Amino acid sequence: MLLGLLTGSVAAILAALLSLPLRSPDDAFFNTASVTIGALLVGLVAGILRARLPARTFALIWGAAFVAVLAGLVAGETFLQRMIEFGVPLALVIFAVTGGLTSYLTDHPLGLPTVAPFGAAAVAIALGLGLAGQGDAASGRLELPSAPTAQAARPTVAAPAGSTAVGSAAAGT
């Protein structure tokens, strides 16, 4: 389970950063915080399954779970626009990192301290919560300022003290 928390944390950090430029179908629900929590949960499931299943069985089940998530995203597209373009890259990263890294680290343990997965999860949660308000929300219209008009570009000359404002013809006489 700790291995799953570690791999879920790595996937959560990558997915949180990836989710920023993507256009979310619903910013209230599909934001960086929810992506982070989802990746952590997927990592925990990967850790539990891999600890109890042989590598080949785990790979088959993990692939089937990815396909099920893709089917859910396609079905969700009928209710929320941009569900596929938002969810597919995130699901791919999350499933690839959690499945691949969990399988690799099961066979090649790193020997990390027991607190390492909790530290990684804390970093992932802090990043996810910190970036939850960021993303594709409307930020206003971006444009260059308009060019100054000819009238605004002319320098103004102050009249000498004691003179009156008279037309240019009168000033010459």
Side-chain angles (χ1 to χ4, degrees):
M1 187 156 120
L2 290 178
L3 180 60
L5 184 61
L6 178 65
T7 61
S9 299
V10 172
I13 291 168
L14 294 174
L17 296 174
L18 175 63
S19 73
L20 291 175
L22 298 176
R23 293 191 63 209
S24 171
D26 180 5
D27 286 333
F29 186 68
F30 296 105
N31 54 42
T32 309
S34 63
V35 167
T36 300
I37 299 301
L40 287 170
L41 292 174
V42 169
L44 287 172
V45 170
I48 291 168
L49 288 177
R50 183 59 187 97
R52 296 182 177 164
L53 298 173
R56 179 164 282 157
T57 306
F58 171 75
L60 290 172
I61 290 175
W62 206 241
F66 176 69
V67 170
V69 167
L70 291 181
L73 291 171
V74 170
E77 184 76 20
T78 60
F79 300 106
L80 293 171
Q81 293 179 347
R82 299 187 308 270
M83 194 70 163
I84 294 172
E85 66 187 53
F86 180 76
V88 170
L90 293 173
L92 182 61
V93 166
I94 292 168
F95 273 84
V97 169
T98 56
L101 198 55
T102 300
S103 290
Y104 178 80
L105 291 177
T106 298
D107 298 335
H108 305 88
L110 294 177
L112 295 174
T114 306
V115 297
F118 296 108
V123 169
I125 290 170
L127 181 70
L129 292 176
L131 296 176
Q134 307 299 316
D136 65 353
S139 61
R141 184 177 170 146
L142 297 175
E143 62 182 30
L144 294 172
S146 60
T149 61
Q151 183 69 15
R154 285 188 194 154
T156 56
V157 178
S163 66
T164 59
V166 184
S168 59
T173 57

